[in-house]
């Protein structure tokens, strides 16, 4: 029962944080709401016994993507103004409403199969063996941070005052 309550509380936090990302005019605060949304999604993964997905969510999205977004915002001038209004606001709202209707229709009309017992064995050790074991994908894991570092340094060089 406690996991169900935690799931629904985290789902509400995800929805509110996502709305804050869209509705806040301050870009920096919207980025902080995005980080909260990512953390709440990781919490939902934990309640669903997907420990590896929760760890990846925190490491990649919160630890890398969100920090990169905040660094980009801090390097940008005139952040406090927020996004300017444009003429595509109404068509974007129509497309978003149609997409919401389509997703709601799909959710309501799908026959969901619910497992009575969540998986008891953690999946992290098996996935770790595939990643770091013989013939694993560790090279890609090592190259990705180097590419992110190069992108950050390139952004700093481009924005630097002369």
């Amino acid at each position: 029962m406690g996991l169900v309550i935690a799931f629904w509380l985290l789902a509400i936090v995800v929805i509110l944080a996502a709305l804050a990302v869209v509705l806040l005019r301050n870009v920096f605060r919207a980025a902080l709401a995005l980080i909260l949304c990512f953390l709440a999604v990781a919490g939902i993964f934990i309640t669903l016994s997907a420990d590896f997905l929760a760890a990846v969510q925190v490491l990649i999205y919160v630890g890398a993507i969100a920090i990169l977004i905040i660094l980009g915002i801090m390097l940008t001038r005139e952040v406090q103004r927020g996004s300017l209004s444009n003429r595509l606001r109404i068509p974007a709202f129509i497309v978003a409403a149609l997409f919401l209707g389509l997703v709601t229709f799909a959710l309501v009309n799908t026959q969901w199969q619910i497992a009575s017992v969540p998986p008891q064995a953690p999946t992290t050790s098996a996935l770790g063996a595939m990643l770091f074991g013989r013939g694993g994908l560790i090279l890609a894991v090592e190259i990705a941070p180097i590419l992110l570092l190069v992108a950050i340094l390139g952004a700093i060089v481009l924005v630097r005052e002369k």
Side-chain angles (χ1 to χ4, degrees), residues 92-102:
F93 177 75
I94 292 171
V95 169
L98 289 174
F99 182 72
L100 177 66
L102 180 69

Side-chain angles (χ1 to χ4, degrees), residues 34-35 38-39 42 56-68:
L34 182 66
I35 291 173
F38 287 156
L39 286 172
V56 168
Q57 178 79 15
V58 170
L59 288 174
I60 293 177
Y61 285 104
V62 176
I65 305 286
I67 301 304
L68 190 64

